Amino acid sequence: MSETRDRLLARLEAEARQLRRNIWRALRAGGGGHAGGSSSAADILTVLYFHRMRIRPAEPEWPERDRFVLSKGHANAALGAVLAQAGFIDDAILDRFYGFESPFGMHPDIKVAGVEMCTGALGHGLAVAMGMALGARIQKQDFHTFVMLGDAELHEGSNWEAAMAAAHFGLANLTAIVDFNKIGQSGRLDELIGVEPLADKWRAFGWAVREIDGHDLGEVVDALATPLDPQRPTALIAHTVKGKGVSFAEDTYVWHSNSVNDEVYARALGELGEPERSKP
Amino acid sequence: MSAATPVQDDWRARAANQTRLAFGQALLEIGARESRSVVVSVDTQDLLGIRPWIERFRDRFVELGIAEQNAIGVASGLATTGLRPYVCAYAPFITARSMEQVRNDVAYANQRVVIGAAASGISLGVAGGTHHALEDLALMRSFPNMTVIVPADVTEAYRATLATLEIDGPVYLRLGGRVEEPPVGDPGAPFRLGRAVQLRAGDDLAVIACGALVEPALRAADALKQEGIGVRVLNMHTIKPLDRDAILKAAAETRGIVTAEEHRLAGGLGGAVAELLALERPTRMRMIGMPDEFACVGPTLPLRARYGMSAEAIAAACRELLA
């Protein structure tokens, strides 16, 4: 019997809390890092890895797996944490964030199990994900490709080359999720280069678009359930809060990337709360 | 891989002494032999002669329009799914415009992507400096994992393209433009990756050339032979991995080395040879190539002569070394 919706959401909420704890754990191990964008992405990653994606953590190269590309690669603390939590990589790797010769650096490395591409130089992931979606079509495979983009990342013009082409090919097996936390490295997007009207831009490029609350697990579950349109790629504009979950890190460019010492870590974990024990 | 199919024997005529077209012809054989091969175009269907591919392998063809950054990213994504993409592009744009995609998505991620880069060097002479590719070898050979090949004629281009089937990593294949590249070697010779081809024997000097300057190097060697100077000519079709043995042997057995390439003097074949010799066996050298400037507008052959990329200039450099 399938999981009831209440139980699903409760399970995802517990995973999301644990994910945020793991993100801050990694940040402390590294002495700091991209807390803001990792935290804004955490709920979406939770739904992808613990509910939506067809994956086999013990078999990371499984050809039929769904793909996830973290185009906003600076949120690698979140990707590493979710891969560890899902069982792709050893949990102890989280304590080696930024470590010498660590597989877990500031940005994703394809050599790590579960990581699909070396990203972090911005404006690359959508094209690569589109290549994966095209590869599935050419080889008549039914896996789905998800790619997460930063909002400030959309300043890179290469995204729009890929957006135009993915719509041209009608790649319904491709879903782009924009982590729209409204803040870049130097300040608010509307004070840097504004990206609004963002949903209209994607619509104009030929994508099926839905705006969601990227922290409402139920909304994320529903939006990711199926492609929005059988003939077009899906763009989910996920409204999020940079640094979500830890009050002093929320909604400020200061926490795009910042130092994390033991004291900051303790305060963050205090706000995130204890992980829930598994219930009977 | 599917069973071998008959090799078309008319490819040579269709290639019309242009390496870019030989690449397109070789792709047809690859398409028949390797069911995972895919051709990616950036509005370059005629430039590399891939319309026959589109007719025969329509479901393995991806047209992306004039979007080089996207094309390299997409090719990398395709490669991750097990496909073998061949990107057909203009050398000046696919190396400079999308260099970060080549570096990160292809070289760093070590994906099996082959870039067929036509219109290299000053083959698009009249198009001007925006369309000249005189730094592509410097860029491409600086990336770890990358194999860099510069065929000198259509036979070599055809065979080198087929050889990419066996290369487990990214490849940059530098091709010419709409300028004839006369045959320089034995049309029956196999292509051996990373192994220079000695086209003339000689122990006074060695000329190490690649691509379009192999043929002028042969003419220079033949002229010098009339003067009693024995010039060894090595066709260094693989810039990376470099044939260290052939270079060190030439340095040991001759009195000096001249390199010749249709590329800026910084960082290309000459640079690669000089880096090796400076460390392993310091040798007197001269380097033939584009000086540190942008070329003027003009037809390719006069441009080559203007900037010292000719048989005469190669011969003069040889005489200088012996003086």
Side-chain angles (χ1 to χ4, degrees):
Chain A
M1 202 177 87
S2 63
E3 198 174 21
T4 66
R5 186 173 178 86
D6 285 350
R7 286 184 72 94
L8 167 67
L9 295 181
R11 178 173 66 83
L12 292 176
E13 195 181 328
E15 295 284 7
R17 183 180 303 118
Q18 183 61 37
L19 181 57
R20 286 197 167 84
R21 292 176 63 89
N22 277 331
I23 288 169
W24 283 90
R25 174 183 154 203
L27 295 172
R28 180 182 62 161
H34 293 83
S38 296
S39 302
S40 59
D43 295 303
I44 297 159
L45 288 173
T46 297
V47 174
L48 285 170
Y49 279 86
F50 297 105
H51 172 63
R52 175 62 181 87
M53 288 207 298
R54 184 173 73 191
I55 47 176
R56 290 178 179 171
E59 196 185 339
E61 303 285 314
W62 182 39
E64 294 170 44
R65 71 192 183 280
D66 287 338
R67 269 64 166 180
F68 174 74
V69 176
L70 182 68
S71 192
K72 46 168 284 183
H74 53 279
N76 194 36
L79 181 61
V82 82
L83 290 177
Q85 208 165 308
F88 282 91
I89 56 176
D90 185 353
D91 178 78
I93 286 174
L94 298 186
D95 298 318
R96 295 176 57 205
F97 194 46
Y98 295 2
F100 184 68
E101 292 191 330
S102 169
F104 189 28
M106 189 181 288
H107 298 104
D109 184 338
I110 196 171
K111 292 192 289 292
V112 175
V115 174
E116 302 286 359
M117 185 46 61
C118 308
T119 51
L122 299 173
H124 289 238
L126 187 57
V128 170
M130 186 194 140
M132 293 171 178
L134 266 178
R137 172 183 287 183
I138 290 169
Q139 297 174 94
K140 298 180 171 57
Q141 293 172 314
D142 70 349
F143 66 79
H144 197 93
T145 300
F146 300 89
V147 54
M148 179 179 281
L149 305 162
D151 48 5
E153 177 181 13
L154 297 178
H155 292 154
E156 293 281 7
S158 50
N159 290 297
W160 302 102
E161 293 184 5
M164 180 156 48
H168 173 84
F169 290 112
L171 291 173
N173 59 350
L174 175 65
T175 296
I177 305 156
V178 179
D179 183 2
F180 196 8
N181 61 33
K182 326 289 189 297
I183 294 173
Q185 181 166 243
S186 308
R188 304 196 70 84
L189 280 199
D190 50 17
E191 293 165 359
L192 300 171
I193 288 286
V195 297
E196 293 279 25
L198 190 53
D200 288 346
K201 284 189 173 70
W202 288 90
R203 270 186 213 106
F205 272 78
W207 290 57
V209 182
R210 182 183 293 178
E211 296 195 59
I212 60 170
D213 176 344
H215 300 306
D216 182 319
L217 291 166
E219 258 189 61
V220 177
V221 165
D222 293 342
L224 287 171
T226 56
L228 296 181
D229 185 308
Q231 310 294 334
R232 291 186 289 170
T234 292
L236 299 179
I237 312 298
H239 293 275
T240 58
V241 176
K242 197 151 184 159
K244 176 73 174 178
V246 172
S247 61
F248 58 83
E250 284 187 355
D251 202 33
T252 168
Y253 76 92
V254 173
W255 274 93
H256 174 80
S257 180
N258 206 355
S259 301
V260 177
N261 58 22
D262 288 352
E263 186 249 321
V264 169
Y265 175 64
R267 283 170 58 206
L269 278 211
E271 291 200 20
L272 289 170
E274 290 302 310
E276 291 186 20
R277 298 291 159 220
S278 54
K279 293 170 185 168
Chain B
M1 207 181 280
S2 61
T5 50
V7 177
Q8 355 151 41
D9 44 18
D10 57 347
W11 71 262
R12 196 178 296 278
R14 292 178 197 277
N17 274 346
Q18 297 180 37
T19 53
R20 66 187 177 100
L21 298 176
F23 177 82
Q25 290 295 306
L27 286 182
L28 293 175
E29 189 169 335
I30 286 175
R33 281 165 55 177
E34 173 54 83
S35 63
R36 292 171 295 179
S37 54
V38 180
V39 164
V40 175
S41 165
V42 280
D43 197 357
T44 45
Q45 298 181 14
D46 291 313
L47 180 68
L48 291 105
I50 53 178
R51 288 193 195 273
W53 172 287
I54 302 170
E55 283 168 27
R56 286 179 60 179
F57 308 110
R58 186 67 190 83
D59 57 340
R60 286 189 276 142
F61 174 69
V62 179
E63 174 61 72
L64 290 169
I66 309 163
E68 285 81 12
Q69 299 178 77
N70 193 41
I72 295 292
V74 166
S76 170
L78 288 166
T80 66
T81 70
L83 293 169
R84 304 277 172 78
Y86 286 78
V87 179
C88 299
Y90 280 91
F93 312 136
I94 206 67
T95 54
R97 178 59 159 269
S98 47
M99 194 182 85
E100 190 179 80
Q101 278 79 6
V102 174
R103 186 191 66 180
N104 295 8
D105 308 350
V106 173
Y108 183 36
N110 201 14
Q111 293 302 311
R112 207 166 164 160
V113 172
V114 177
I115 300 169
S120 66
I122 46 173
S123 61
L124 291 180
V126 298
T130 55
H131 286 56
H132 298 163
L134 290 164
E135 53 288 294
D136 56 325
L137 294 178
L139 299 173
M140 294 298 114
R141 82 175 181 88
S142 68
F143 297 141
N145 297 331
M146 187 69 86
T147 294
V148 179
I149 306 172
V150 186
D153 63 15
V154 293
T155 301
E156 203 161 79
Y158 192 93
R159 301 224 162 104
T161 304
L162 292 186
T164 62
L165 283 170
E166 311 303 325
I167 301 173
D168 188 16
V171 180
Y172 181 71
L173 197 52
R174 190 188 209 228
L175 305 163
R178 292 180 170 83
V179 180
E180 286 212 15
E181 294 143 280
V184 296
D186 170 9
F191 177 82
R192 292 192 298 168
L193 183 73
R195 300 290 297 274
V197 181
Q198 180 173 305
L199 293 173
R200 293 286 188 278
D203 289 332
D204 291 319
L205 289 168
V207 176
I208 301 176
C210 68
L213 287 207
V214 172
E215 190 270 338
L218 294 177
R219 282 191 279 122
D222 293 345
L224 290 166
K225 192 172 182 183
Q226 303 302 314
E227 301 171 22
I229 301 170
V231 177
R232 176 181 309 186
V233 177
L234 295 178
N235 170 13
M236 193 63 65
H237 53 64
T238 309
I239 308 299
K240 189 178 185 180
L242 198 61
D243 188 346
R244 297 165 47 95
D245 293 346
I247 295 167
L248 292 172
K249 190 162 182 282
E253 295 175 355
T254 70
R255 293 163 61 192
I257 286 178
V258 176
T259 59
E261 63 199 304
E262 191 174 301
H263 184 273
R264 205 162 276 120
L265 289 170
L269 170 64
V273 170
E275 286 162 16
L276 172 69
L277 293 177
L279 294 174
E280 303 283 335
R281 190 181 181 97
T283 302
R284 296 185 69 217
M285 281 184 70
R286 290 290 181 277
M287 286 161 63
I288 296 290
M290 184 70 196
D292 184 25
E293 59 185 295
F294 289 101
C296 64
V297 168
T300 301
L301 295 180
L303 276 187
R304 281 185 192 150
R306 158 82 173 266
Y307 294 105
M309 295 180 280
S310 62
E312 294 70 25
I314 294 168
C318 289
R319 291 189 197 98
E320 234 182 84
L321 270 184
L322 287 177

